[in-house]
């Protein structure tokens, strides 16, 4: 462990020094990620601790402002040259039929819509990072067949109430033309811009009043079969049972956890050398996009077995911090998720049965790990550091081995 690692403090509610987690009364108040409504996602807030070792060259950044009409954007959707990533923004209760109707009313009233953000891919395709719901709403009203949706009929209008229950074809021709010729503002990151720069740019954009999570960005900017694969794993019965069905899918933390398992299954912890953890996960998504059905099936089975093993060995506390003297069930910790699950995935069924039968010993061994400052820091602060990644995997494996030996 480097001197920098030794000096880094865990994110605890104390101004100075380490919190003594060995004392029963000393359990820290663990911060959790929140959804857009301000509710807990039951996932612990993570400090990856990444730093930029190689600053970006501004000359490599190419951003253009485009002003396509609605008709042109719909043609792109018809030709599949706009990737709407339809499950990217799933904010429940926001895009109701009335909210969608009010957006169409804004077009009819010539009210300028917020800027759309997109990244240019191969073959002149655009991956929409912010504005998915706006474009989907427009497509649903003007050309619902392009997205396989039911036609939108207007409701809850504030000013143009005479058009209540109108579909696009019911509007007067001049209003249909007005919508089709409306220009939208698109901020387009050109394809010559390096991927890591694209991610950095979009991470700085406060879209819709809130920053996008890293997994939302990966989902938007890296199309391919990995999207659906991660969605299937996160919705699987195995994942739901192992996480006590408590992890909210809204900000895609569930998919990121699945991705982290797969990333360390494809590249063992000792193979993770750098400090760019986000780049490590991006590379894993690209790798998943290149796997065949058999390879994906093997990863699925490994994931399901790991979820089962974690559930039977740790019970309701799987992937969660524990503190001596406390019975509280803490939120899921992403670093513990990847390290516990991947480590257990390498154990045989007989070994898992033994660990399950010795749950009390596992629990005691894990409490001792949590009382170890190095391990605690490795799952609490700077979790993307290569040394801390290897440390948490190694110490968990050693703990399991001790229990298996009857220690």
């Amino acid at each position: 462990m480097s001197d920098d690692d030794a000096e880094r403090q865990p994110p605890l509610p104390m101004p100075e020094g380490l919190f003594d987690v060995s004392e029963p009364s000393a359990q820290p108040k663990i911060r959790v990620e929140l959804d857009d409504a301000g509710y807990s996602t039951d996932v612990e807030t993570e400090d990856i601790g990444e730093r930029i070792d190689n600053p970006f060259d501004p000359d490599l950044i190419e951003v253009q402002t485009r002003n396509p009409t609605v008709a042109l954007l719909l043609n792109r959707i018809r030709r599949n040259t706009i990737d709407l990533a339809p499950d990217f923004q799933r904010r429940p209760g926001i895009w109701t039929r009335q909210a969608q109707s009010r957006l169409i009313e804004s077009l009819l009233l010539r009210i300028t819509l917020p800027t759309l953000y997109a990244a240019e891919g191969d073959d002149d395709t655009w991956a929409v990072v912010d504005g998915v719901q706006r474009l989907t709403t427009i497509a649903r009203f003007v050309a619902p067949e392009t997205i396989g949706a039911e036609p939108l009929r207007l409701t809850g209008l504030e000013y143009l109430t005479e058009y209540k229950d109108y579909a696009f074809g019911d509007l007067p021709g001049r209003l249909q033309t007005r919508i089709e010729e409306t220009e939208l503002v698109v901020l387009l990151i050109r394809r010559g811009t390096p991927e890591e720069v694209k991610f950095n740019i979009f991470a700085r954009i406060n879209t819709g009043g809130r920053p996008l999570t890293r997994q939302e960005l990966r989902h938007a900017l890296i199309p391919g079969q990995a999207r659906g694969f991660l969605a299937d794993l996160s919705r699987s019965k195995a994942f739901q049972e192992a996480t006590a069905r408590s992890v909210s899918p809204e900000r895609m933390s569930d998919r990121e956890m699945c991705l982290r398992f797969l990333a360390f299954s494809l590249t063992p912890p000792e193979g993770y050398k750098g400090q760019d953890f986000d780049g490590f996960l991006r590379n894993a998504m690209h790798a998943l996009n290149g796997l065949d059905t058999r390879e994906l099936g093997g990863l699925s089975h490994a994931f399901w077995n790991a979820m089962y093993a974690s559930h039977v060995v740790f019970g309701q506390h799987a992937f969660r911090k524990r503190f001596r003297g406390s019975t509280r069930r803490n939120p899921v910790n992403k670093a513990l998720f990847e390290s516990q699950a991947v480590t257990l995935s390498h154990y045989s069924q007989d070994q898992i049965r033994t660990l399950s039968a010795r749950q009390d010993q596992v629990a005691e061994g894990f409490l001792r790990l949590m009382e170890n400052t190095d391990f605690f820091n490795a799952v609490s602060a700077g979790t993307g550091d290569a040394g801390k990644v290897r440390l948490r995997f190694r110490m968990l494996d050693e703990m399991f081995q001790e229990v298996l030996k009857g220690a």
Side-chain angles (χ1 to χ4, degrees):
M1 184 172 64
S2 68
D3 291 339
D4 288 341
D5 292 338
E7 293 174 0
R8 190 177 291 125
Q9 303 298 320
L12 305 176
M14 291 289 286
E16 299 290 342
L18 288 172
F19 201 96
D20 186 0
V21 296
S22 64
E23 296 178 5
S25 61
Q27 175 167 347
K29 181 179 180 180
I30 297 175
R31 295 176 297 172
V32 297
E33 296 179 358
L34 303 177
D35 63 18
D36 292 326
Y39 294 107
S40 168
T41 62
D42 201 38
V43 177
E44 183 178 342
T45 301
E46 184 177 33
D47 167 22
I48 296 180
E50 291 181 317
R51 60 181 182 269
I52 298 176
D53 294 321
N54 299 304
F56 300 137
D57 181 353
D59 293 335
L60 297 177
I61 301 174
E62 186 177 359
V63 182
Q64 288 187 350
T65 300
R66 300 283 185 89
N67 298 96
T69 63
V70 165
L72 286 174
L73 289 173
L74 290 176
N75 282 336
R76 276 188 163 273
I77 293 174
R78 289 188 183 94
R79 298 188 180 101
N80 295 317
T81 56
I82 281 186
D83 178 12
L84 290 177
D87 61 342
F88 172 50
Q89 293 172 328
R90 300 167 293 161
R91 303 172 66 186
I94 301 298
W95 290 94
T96 61
R97 181 184 166 200
Q98 176 174 305
Q100 294 176 329
S101 299
R102 292 282 180 90
L103 183 138
I104 300 301
E105 186 180 37
S106 295
L107 294 179
L108 294 171
L109 293 171
R110 295 192 174 97
I111 296 174
T112 302
L113 298 187
T115 299
L116 308 174
Y117 295 91
E120 186 179 45
D122 296 333
D123 302 322
D124 198 32
T125 57
W126 294 0
V128 178
V129 175
D130 186 54
V132 172
Q133 293 289 3
R134 276 167 271 159
L135 282 181
T136 301
T137 295
I138 293 170
R140 183 187 172 196
F141 184 65
V142 180
E145 74 282 355
T146 62
I147 58 172
E150 290 291 324
L152 172 65
R153 289 188 172 274
L154 302 178
T155 188
L157 300 177
E158 190 172 3
Y159 299 103
L160 306 178
T161 55
E162 65 269 29
Y163 300 122
K164 183 180 185 298
D165 291 328
Y166 274 43
F168 179 73
D170 300 326
L171 290 174
R174 62 183 178 82
L175 293 184
Q176 294 182 28
T177 299
R178 179 179 300 178
I179 290 177
E180 290 175 332
E181 293 185 351
T182 295
E183 291 185 349
L184 301 180
V185 180
V186 179
L187 188 68
L188 183 67
I189 312 297
R190 297 301 304 276
R191 62 174 169 267
T193 305
E195 182 178 75
E196 64 272 19
V197 179
K198 289 182 183 179
F199 274 81
N200 188 275
I201 292 172
F202 285 120
R204 293 168 181 261
I205 296 171
N206 194 23
T207 59
R210 56 143 174 106
L212 298 170
T213 68
R214 289 288 183 172
Q215 187 57 35
E216 286 175 325
L217 284 172
R218 294 182 202 108
H219 179 86
L221 295 175
I222 305 177
Q225 65 180 357
R227 283 178 179 169
F229 187 59
L230 293 174
D232 290 342
L233 293 183
S234 67
R235 290 193 290 258
S236 66
K237 180 180 179 181
F239 177 84
Q240 293 297 321
E241 288 186 348
T243 57
R245 293 181 171 83
S246 66
V247 175
S248 169
E250 186 177 343
R251 301 305 305 274
M252 294 195 176
S253 287
D254 54 344
R255 300 193 195 189
E256 178 176 320
M257 287 187 279
C258 297
L259 177 60
R260 289 166 79 136
F261 173 89
L262 298 170
F264 282 113
S265 296
L266 294 170
T267 303
E270 56 271 18
Y272 172 65
K273 305 292 186 182
Q275 307 299 323
D276 183 8
F277 196 74
D278 183 53
F280 176 67
L281 295 182
R282 292 200 308 271
N283 289 338
M285 280 199 72
H286 287 298
L288 290 171
N289 282 336
L291 299 183
D292 60 30
T293 302
R294 179 186 60 81
E295 291 168 319
L296 291 177
L299 286 173
S300 294
H301 284 292
F303 179 81
W304 297 332
N305 289 337
M307 293 300 101
Y308 169 78
S310 299
H311 183 55
V312 299
V313 171
F314 287 97
Q316 67 171 343
H317 296 288
F319 321 126
R320 304 166 194 263
K321 291 176 177 175
R322 295 191 70 178
F323 301 95
R324 198 177 299 279
S326 173
T327 58
R328 180 192 306 173
R329 190 183 74 182
N330 290 304
V332 171
N333 177 285
K334 294 177 183 177
L336 283 175
F337 181 92
E338 72 197 19
S339 51
Q340 285 184 4
V342 173
T343 300
L344 288 173
S345 72
H346 297 304
Y347 282 57
S348 68
Q349 291 185 2
D350 286 341
Q351 289 173 315
I352 297 300
R353 278 192 285 268
T354 299
L355 291 172
S356 177
R358 299 176 180 177
Q359 272 191 353
D360 290 343
Q361 291 174 252
V362 172
E364 175 59 29
F366 186 69
L367 286 172
R368 289 199 299 269
L369 286 181
M370 290 299 298
E371 292 166 356
N372 181 291
T373 300
D374 290 341
F375 183 84
F376 183 84
N377 281 338
V379 298
S380 301
T383 55
D385 177 81
K388 292 186 175 183
V389 167
R390 291 192 291 272
L391 183 142
R392 61 178 176 258
F393 274 87
R394 176 177 58 78
M395 293 187 73
L396 271 169
D397 187 48
E398 289 173 353
M399 185 271 286
F400 290 138
Q401 292 292 343
E402 289 180 5
V403 173
L404 289 172
K405 294 174 183 175

